[in-house]
Amino acid sequence: MVSRVIPVDNFDLVIFGGTGDLARRKILPGLFRRFISGQMPEEARIIGAARSDMSVDDYRVMIRDAVHEFDPASAKHKDCLERFLGQLGYVAVDAMGEGGWKELHAEMRENTVRAFYFSVAPSLFGAIAERLKSFGLADDQSRIVVEKPFGKDLETAKKLNRSLSEHFDESQIYRIDHYLGKETVQNLMAVRFGNMLFEPLWNSQYVDHIQITVAETVGVGGRGSYYDTSGAMRDMVQNHLMQLLCLIAMEPPAKFDPDAVRDEKLKVIRALDPVEPHHIVRGQYAASEKTPSYRADVENARSFTESFIAMRCQISNWRWAGTPFYLRTGKRMKARTSEIAVVFKDAPHSIFGPEAGYHRNVLSIRLQPNEGMTLGVTIKEPGPGGMRLVDVPLDMTFAEALGPDAEEVPDAYERLIMDVIRGNQTLFMRGDEVEAAWRWTDPIIEGWQRRNDVPKEYDTGSTGPDDALMLMHRDGRRWREIKE
Ligand code: NAD
C-alpha cells in the first residue's frame, strides 16, 4: 500500500509558548515529522514566541535538542533537521504587555495562511487574542489554536469563549483535544459510517453496554499543583472521555463536515442524564514501595482531589435508552492503555447448550498502545470433542494491516496542526460543545464539594478502588482487563 501525503499550503505558524514543555515535547517534534514526510512546504515558517529573550540561533539549538530528546528516531534525519531548523524564527513577546509585537508583525508574510498556537496558560488567551488584532497580526483568515484546559467550570469556559470571540469568529478558533487526532478515533467514524456491518447493530437493541477506559501508570509528576485543583474529572473526563463518548454515541452526520459532526456530538452531550452519586467512584492512589502517594505527590496532606474516577452514564435518547456507558480513568494504574469496548448482547438463544460455552462479541477500539481494533468473534474450538466455542479476535491492528506504512501514521498533534493549516475544524471542539460538557460536569463536582466527598484510596498498580468493581458487579457486568 502506498501512503499518500498531501502537502498543505504555505503557512506562517506562530507558537506562543514556543519555549515551553508542550512546544518542545510535542508540537515542534511533530512538525518536524511532517516536514520529513514531505507534507510541510519548504517555505513554511514556524516562529517561536515566548517570554525569554534569546536569539534565533539559540532557539534553533533549543529545538534541535528537543527533537533529539523527544523523538530520537526522527532526529537521525540530520540534513532534514538542519533544513527544518532553518525555517524557524523566534521573537521575544510579552503576552500581557506591548513588547515584541511589532517585531513579530515584521516577521509575518502577506498572502500566507497565518496560524497562532496558544501553547500558554489559559489566563493569557484573552490578552494574546486582543493583541493579535490590535497589532494587526491577524485578519479574518487567520486561525488560533488553544490548548486545554478550556476552563475549570462552565463560568470560566464561557468567559474564555467570550474573550476569544471578541476578536475571532468561531470558524477561526481551534480548541485542541489531542484524543481526537488519534488515528483510531477517526477510524471509529470510518468503521461506523463506512461499513454496512456495524451501524444497524449500533443501538440499545444489540449493544449491552460500552466501556471507555483511559488508564495511565504515571502519577501526577511535576504537574501536582495544577492537577490538585483539577482532578481526573476536569483533566480527563470533561474533555477526552466525553469526546470519545460522543463519537461512539452520535447519530450519523449527514456529511463528514465540521459542523455536521459537531452538531451530532453536541446532541449527545445534551442527552446525557445527570449522574447519580452512587454511580460514581472516586479514588486517590496510595504510596507503594517505590512511589509516593497522591497526597505526597501534590504536597497536600488533606487533598480530596481524585486521581481516579469510574462512572456509569446514561444517554437519554431513542438509540441508547437502556444501554449504560461506563467511563473509567486513573493514574498509577496497572497498565497504560486507552480502550473503547462495545460489548454486544448475548445471542437470543444458544443452540449449543451451556457446556459449549458462550462469548459475547466485543468490538475493542484501542487508542494506545498499538492503535487498532479487534472484533471478538465466536467460533468452534478446533479438534475433536464436540462443539466447544472459543472467542477469537478479528484483528485490525494498523501496524500489521498496513505494513511499513503504518509507521507513517502521524501522531495526534501532527495531524491536528496540519488540519489547522488546511482549515478543517472537524476534529476540534466547538465553543458550545465545551460549554455543554461543563454544564453536565459542574453539578457532579459541586455535589462532591457539598457532601465533602472523600476519594477511596487504591493501590498503585491496581485497577482502582474495589468500589469501581462493585459499580459493574451490581449491574451484573465486569470491567475489561487493563493490559498493554
Ligand atoms: P510551560 O510552563 O512549559 O511553558 C509556558 C510558555 O509560555 C513558555 O514558553 C513561556 O515563555 C510562555 N509564557 C509565559 N508567560 C508569558 C508571557 N507573559 N508572555 C509570553 N510568553 C509567556 O507550559 P506548557 O507545559 O508548555 O503548557 C502550555 C499550555 O499547554 C498550558 O495551557 C497547558 O495547560 C497546556 N498543555 C500542556 C501539556 C503538556 O504536556 N505540557 C499538555 C496539554 C496541555
Side-chain angles (χ1 to χ4, degrees):
M1 210 171 108
V2 180
S3 65
R4 281 183 300 142
V5 174
I6 302 168
V8 294
D9 288 343
N10 194 14
F11 63 85
D12 281 348
L13 169 66
V14 177
I15 306 175
F16 292 104
T19 58
D21 176 69
L22 183 67
R24 286 181 297 111
R25 213 153 44 81
K26 289 280 181 194
I27 304 172
L28 282 143
L31 284 163
F32 178 46
R33 281 192 293 276
R34 291 295 88 211
F35 184 81
I36 297 172
S37 78
Q39 194 169 23
M40 201 177 119
E42 300 253 348
E43 308 78 45
R45 296 209 62 213
I46 300 162
I47 303 160
R51 220 170 9 185
S52 321
D53 220 349
M54 65 164 83
S55 68
V56 177
D57 286 342
D58 287 346
Y59 187 59
R60 289 175 179 163
V61 171
M62 175 191 254
I63 301 308
R64 184 189 292 119
D65 291 348
V67 172
H68 280 281
E69 184 179 351
F70 298 114
D71 190 4
S74 69
K76 287 185 192 125
H77 298 258
K78 278 199 169 118
D79 291 347
C80 219
L81 180 55
E82 292 315 308
R83 274 190 287 130
F84 173 75
L85 294 173
Q87 294 182 226
L88 299 190
Y90 182 80
V91 181
V93 171
D94 179 8
M96 304 297 278
E98 307 289 297
W101 290 94
K102 286 191 182 134
E103 291 76 0
L104 185 57
H105 189 270
E107 293 277 322
M108 314 290 301
R109 295 170 298 178
E110 296 299 324
N111 302 321
T112 305
V113 171
R114 287 184 184 180
F116 300 92
Y117 200 126
F118 292 14
S119 181
V120 292
S123 54
L124 301 181
F125 289 180
I128 295 178
E130 187 202 319
R131 283 162 180 72
L132 284 176
K133 277 294 171 80
S134 62
F135 283 90
L137 276 91
D139 57 25
D140 292 349
Q141 301 305 314
S142 308
R143 288 129 214 201
I144 59 171
V145 185
V146 293
E147 266 296 339
K148 82 165 198 183
F150 202 84
K152 62 182 182 65
D153 52 23
L154 178 59
E155 198 186 316
T156 48
K158 275 183 166 171
K159 204 166 148 210
L160 268 182
N161 274 338
R162 271 199 305 271
S163 70
L164 297 179
S165 61
E166 252 177 61
H167 308 285
F168 291 91
D169 186 70
E170 181 62 34
S171 63
Q172 299 177 277
I173 305 172
Y174 291 70
R175 293 175 196 78
I176 213 161
D177 182 330
H178 68 275
Y179 270 63
L180 294 183
K182 289 186 181 287
E183 185 71 10
T184 325
V185 168
Q186 290 159 78
N187 235 315
L188 172 59
M189 286 189 271
V191 164
R192 278 194 66 188
F193 306 127
N195 294 286
M196 192 53 210
L197 201 59
F198 295 104
E199 198 49 29
L201 306 180
W202 213 263
N203 56 54
S204 59
Q205 203 180 337
Y206 297 101
V207 176
D208 179 72
H209 72 278
I210 289 174
Q211 300 186 17
I212 303 179
T213 297
V214 177
E216 298 176 286
T217 50
V218 293
V220 295
R223 298 167 68 219
S225 55
Y226 155 73
Y227 193 91
D228 204 37
T229 60
S230 158
M233 188 70 177
R234 290 188 173 105
D235 191 50
M236 297 297 291
V237 177
Q238 185 273 346
N239 39 49
H240 306 315
L241 275 79
M242 183 69 59
Q243 289 295 318
L244 299 179
L245 178 129
C246 286
L247 291 175
I248 275 279
M250 71 183 183
E251 296 300 314
K255 50 189 172 186
F256 191 55
D257 128 325
D259 275 328
V261 171
R262 296 184 303 176
D263 285 346
E264 295 307 334
K265 281 163 58 196
L266 178 62
K267 285 185 208 161
V268 173
I269 305 176
R270 287 183 173 159
L272 271 169
D273 284 348
V275 185
E276 302 284 338
H278 65 282
H279 284 150
I280 308 186
V281 177
R282 299 166 74 220
Q284 226 181 42
Y285 58 79
S288 71
E289 272 176 25
K290 292 188 188 140
T291 51
S293 67
Y294 173 82
R295 289 181 172 190
D297 269 347
V298 300
E299 297 174 3
N300 178 1
R302 288 192 44 76
S303 171
F304 290 158
T305 304
E306 75 286 351
S307 61
F308 171 95
I309 195 157
M311 61 201 300
R312 179 194 203 272
C313 307
Q314 189 68 55
I315 299 170
S316 278
N317 64 16
W318 273 49
R319 185 185 283 265
W320 294 118
T323 294
F325 286 69
Y326 297 93
L327 314 184
R328 169 176 65 158
T329 182
K331 293 191 175 292
R332 286 243 195 274
M333 296 185 68
K334 192 176 160 200
R336 172 177 173 261
T337 186
S338 300
E339 186 205 43
I340 305 169
V342 181
V343 181
F344 289 90
K345 286 189 173 168
D346 291 344
H349 166 70
S350 169
I351 63 168
F352 305 112
E355 62 283 0
Y358 182 76
H359 304 271
R360 281 180 163 181
N361 299 120
V362 178
L363 177 66
S364 156
I365 300 145
R366 279 188 319 278
L367 279 77
Q368 61 193 26
N370 310 322
E371 285 193 58
M373 300 192 196
T374 51
L375 176 65
V377 175
T378 300
I379 61 163
K380 178 187 171 297
E381 193 175 291
M387 181 62 87
R388 289 190 312 273
L389 304 179
V390 284
D391 182 44
V392 292
L394 282 183
D395 201 331
M396 298 173 265
T397 306
F398 302 141
E400 283 166 26
L402 303 179
D405 282 349
E407 290 167 18
E408 309 245 322
V409 171
D411 121 314
Y413 271 97
E414 299 166 39
R415 172 191 310 276
L416 292 173
I417 298 171
M418 291 300 110
D419 277 359
V420 174
I421 306 300
R422 285 196 197 94
N424 184 349
Q425 288 185 304
T426 311
L427 300 174
F428 295 83
M429 293 178 293
R430 212 168 50 191
D432 52 1
E433 257 186 274
V434 176
E435 290 184 12
W438 282 122
R439 202 167 279 119
W440 178 76
T441 313
D442 276 2
I444 299 174
I445 297 175
E446 282 158 18
W448 298 336
Q449 286 162 350
R450 225 178 19 254
R451 296 191 300 275
N452 289 324
D453 191 83
V454 182
K456 304 271 184 318
E457 229 182 17
Y458 62 95
D459 289 336
T460 287
S462 72
T463 58
D466 289 345
D467 288 23
L469 303 179
M470 286 310 298
L471 183 75
M472 278 283 206
H473 282 196
R474 276 202 310 259
D475 293 350
R477 300 185 175 101
R478 268 192 317 199
W479 289 106
R480 307 244 315 151
E481 201 182 331
I482 294 182
K483 58 178 182 194
E484 296 232 332

